[in-house]
Amino acid sequence: MNTLIHRPRRLRRTASLRALVRETQLRPDDLIYPLFVCGGEGVRREIRSMPGVFNLSIDELVREAEATKKEGINTLIVFGIPASKDEVGSGAYAAEGVVQQAIRAIRHEVGDIVIIADTCLCEYTSHGHCGLIENNDVANDPSLDLIAKTAVSQAQAGADIIAPSGMMDGMVQAIRTALDEAGFSDTPILSYAIKYASAYYGPFRDAADSTPQFGDRRSYQMDSANIREAVREADLDVEQGADMLMVKPALPYLDIIKVARERYNLPIAAYQVSGEYAQIKAAGQLGWIDEQRVMMESLIAIKRAGADMILTYFAREALKHL
Ligand code: PBG
Ligand code: ZN
């Protein structure tokens, strides 16, 4: 006879018991699906380092958005791959830019779906940096005008949410002012408030052809060693009027997600970035891990840490398990 009183295993005995006491749930509404739009027609080009993710021309993008919506995902984030780039990233804020056209097409064809616009210059600048270059460095304040212009052009095209990702100081305030002046005081800002200078962005830069042509992004994205600085960044964005905050990347920064969740009464988003996706895909393809299970475990971990929503290339695949 055994006198152990505490036996946690009692609640793990069957699948239904485990479901009854499960503390964290992943819902379809938590998932945000990133899409890459390029020029042309009938283009569906798989990204080498991101199996299952494509550069899509607008016609293909609309089809993808429709299918995604039908499956039960309600939110997309759109990234643009312009036909040509220049020093000042003019494709980012062109009324007929690739993202502006894409947003209009999705709005027109798919209707009720939340469209987030990633607001940055790096996909559109010939040098690949997130702002204007002056004296071999990214100039903060001169970049703000262009970032604000980009946000307004995206709102005019029909974006529901503006998501600035460039880590320029004051970007949220500049965008809030410009949106309000243009009559978009009801358009929310999801700030990439806490964005680290991360090697996990590698595959995305393949996809968007946005690798910096000189130097790196360490003078504006955050040092991965820092946590107090993350709080400072988020405090500033809240002060400037951010409606939601993002932490990026996700899995290597669960501690940061947790701090953000505890400190702010705003929705917290986490971005499971391209390198996180690529790692799981690659090990899965090698047969070294069970890709589907690792995918779900990674997403539940991000939610458990405190994310309300997750931007993930796995969105559609994960949906099949919910
Ligand atoms: C840049 C931007 C990046 C990502 C989205 N927008 C990172 C970067 O190149 O610095 C990364 C997303 C991913 O890796 O999935 N504004
Ligand atoms: Zn950028």
Side-chain angles (χ1 to χ4, degrees):
M1 195 71 60
N2 189 326
T3 57
L4 251 187
I5 296 170
H6 298 289
R7 291 182 182 275
R9 289 183 55 185
R10 287 180 194 127
L11 298 180
R12 296 182 199 135
R13 209 168 40 79
T14 66
S16 353
L17 266 173
R18 291 193 291 273
L20 180 70
V21 299
R22 186 159 297 134
E23 299 174 34
T24 310
Q25 316 286 341
L26 189 66
R27 306 169 311 145
D29 284 332
D30 301 333
L31 300 171
I32 300 171
Y33 191 47
L35 291 169
F36 296 96
V37 58
C38 62
E41 237 191 272
V43 180
R44 199 178 162 77
R45 199 166 44 230
E46 192 166 28
I47 297 148
R48 187 184 52 84
S49 49
M50 300 175 75
V53 180
F54 299 83
N55 289 350
L56 303 166
S57 52
I58 291 180
D59 52 326
E60 293 286 329
L61 176 88
V62 165
R63 267 205 261 165
E64 189 92 354
E66 270 168 349
T68 305
K69 164 84 186 169
K70 199 175 278 163
E71 286 169 13
I73 296 214
N74 286 316
T75 309
L76 308 173
I77 180 163
V78 195
F79 296 95
I81 299 144
S84 66
K85 312 194 183 212
D86 59 29
E87 281 287 304
V88 294
S90 48
Y93 39 90
E96 293 306 318
V98 68
V99 153
Q100 286 78 2
Q101 290 187 43
I103 293 171
R104 271 188 235 112
I106 297 171
R107 178 62 69 228
H108 188 256
E109 304 292 330
V110 189
D112 182 24
I113 188 162
V114 179
I115 306 172
I116 304 177
D118 179 87
T119 305
C120 200
L121 303 181
C122 54
E123 293 128 58
Y124 308 90
T125 50
S126 43
H127 45 76
H129 279 290
C130 301
L132 289 175
I133 301 297
E134 283 176 10
N135 306 320
N136 240 22
D137 192 15
V138 176
N140 195 86
D141 297 12
S143 304
L144 295 179
D145 277 347
L146 300 185
I147 290 168
K149 249 167 89 169
T150 303
V152 170
S153 75
Q154 292 167 333
Q156 282 166 342
D160 296 290
I161 298 174
I162 297 299
S165 63
M167 290 296 281
M168 293 298 121
D169 295 334
M171 68 182 183
V172 171
Q173 181 183 315
I175 289 172
R176 185 70 274 155
T177 306
L179 286 175
D180 290 357
E181 277 170 6
F184 293 100
S185 51
D186 285 334
T187 301
I189 298 173
L190 163 57
S191 180
Y192 287 67
I194 307 173
K195 178 171 176 180
Y196 288 93
S198 173
Y200 285 92
Y201 304 150
F204 174 93
R205 293 179 190 172
D206 285 347
D209 187 22
S210 62
T211 306
Q213 296 303 297
F214 65 91
D216 54 40
R217 301 206 209 288
R218 287 173 213 263
S219 76
Y220 42 106
Q221 297 177 349
M222 282 184 49
D223 185 326
S224 63
N226 294 355
I227 182 162
R228 292 189 295 267
E229 188 188 359
V231 170
R232 181 155 187 256
E233 278 285 358
D235 279 350
L236 291 173
D237 283 7
V238 171
E239 235 170 71
Q240 292 171 36
D243 299 280
M244 301 187 268
L245 301 173
M246 194 194 300
V247 176
K248 177 182 176 188
L251 208 60
Y253 296 88
L254 293 182
D255 55 334
I256 310 295
I257 296 173
K258 184 152 193 229
V259 165
R261 171 68 293 148
E262 283 167 358
R263 188 169 169 106
Y264 304 103
N265 293 318
L266 297 178
I268 303 295
Y271 200 143
Q272 182 178 50
V273 300
S274 56
E276 298 178 69
Y277 174 84
Q279 281 185 323
I280 294 173
K281 279 282 166 191
Q285 285 184 356
L286 283 167
W288 290 359
I289 61 170
D290 180 333
E291 179 190 315
Q292 295 295 297
R293 288 190 54 204
V294 170
M295 163 183 85
M296 294 311 288
E297 190 174 332
S298 67
L299 292 169
I300 217 64
I302 295 163
K303 267 221 86 178
R304 193 191 62 236
D308 298 296
M309 56 192 100
I310 306 173
L311 297 88
T312 175
Y313 304 98
F314 283 124
R316 289 177 72 181
E317 267 181 88
L319 204 62
K320 297 181 191 147
H321 299 267
L322 301 181

